[in-house]
Amino acid sequence: MDRTDVRRMFDEGYDCSQVVLSAMSERLGITRDTALGIASGLGIGLCRGSVCGAALGGIAALGVRYGNVSPGDMVSKSVIFEKREEFLTRFKEINSSISCKELIGVEVSDLEDMISHSPKGVYRNCPGYCVNAITILEDMIPPKEE
């Protein structure tokens, strides 16, 4: 997915987490609609100024591929924790932070806040954060085997 596709999704009303997870959906063996639904509550740093939605979408993608699904499976748990830390480290190296609030420069606490900040251009760099997250994930998650 390139910047044009990412920008189009933003223009359609999707947020960072949805853009990132949906970009990885085929590679993960899930439908685009499933990815959009899973990620739909993760955007704008959970509307709390916490971890950037692009990073959260990336972590969700890693969870789909590497997450533990059996009780007590500490081997898989350690793998997903390791993958998460690698992803977040790489994301921060490229973008300077993993904090939505730091990346966009304002705190967004709810949907009304999100909408009110949109005309001010605070999300102008978000497509780039998405492209960066997708690039990292394409390196970390091999295509799903048929």
Side-chain angles (χ1 to χ4, degrees):
M1 180 175 285
D2 63 23
R3 283 187 185 269
T4 304
D5 295 327
V6 169
R7 173 87 300 182
R8 179 186 46 76
M9 288 190 73
F10 271 94
D11 291 345
E12 292 171 352
Y14 295 108
D15 60 39
C16 296
S17 55
Q18 291 176 298
V19 170
V20 171
L21 189 56
S22 69
M24 299 304 296
S25 62
E26 186 176 328
R27 191 174 284 234
L28 295 169
I30 61 175
T31 68
R32 181 177 186 266
D33 286 349
T34 296
L36 291 169
I38 289 168
S40 64
L42 304 176
I44 321 292
L46 303 173
C47 282
R48 288 179 167 67
S50 73
V51 176
C52 165
L56 290 171
I59 293 167
L62 292 169
V64 170
R65 178 54 64 91
Y66 300 108
N68 68 305
V69 295
S70 300
D73 180 1
M74 291 298 112
V75 172
S76 293
K77 179 70 80 179
S78 69
V79 169
I80 188 58
F81 278 27
E82 183 179 299
K83 298 284 186 185
R84 179 190 64 204
E85 290 311 307
E86 177 186 347
F87 174 82
L88 290 174
T89 297
R90 291 174 68 179
F91 188 90
K92 185 174 182 179
E93 285 172 358
I94 295 169
N95 300 302
S96 78
S97 180
I98 63 168
S99 164
C100 180
K101 182 178 178 181
E102 289 177 18
L103 291 169
I104 66 173
V106 296
E107 187 166 339
V108 178
S109 59
D110 57 28
L111 185 60
E112 288 179 23
D113 253 2
M114 183 190 84
I115 294 167
S116 73
H117 287 300
S118 190
K120 300 172 189 169
V122 299
Y123 308 117
R124 69 187 164 280
N125 295 324
C126 295
Y129 303 139
C130 291
V131 170
N132 293 340
I134 293 164
T135 301
I136 295 166
L137 291 169
E138 287 173 340
D139 183 53
M140 293 182 70
I141 301 174
K144 187 163 178 66
E145 294 179 18
E146 301 295 324

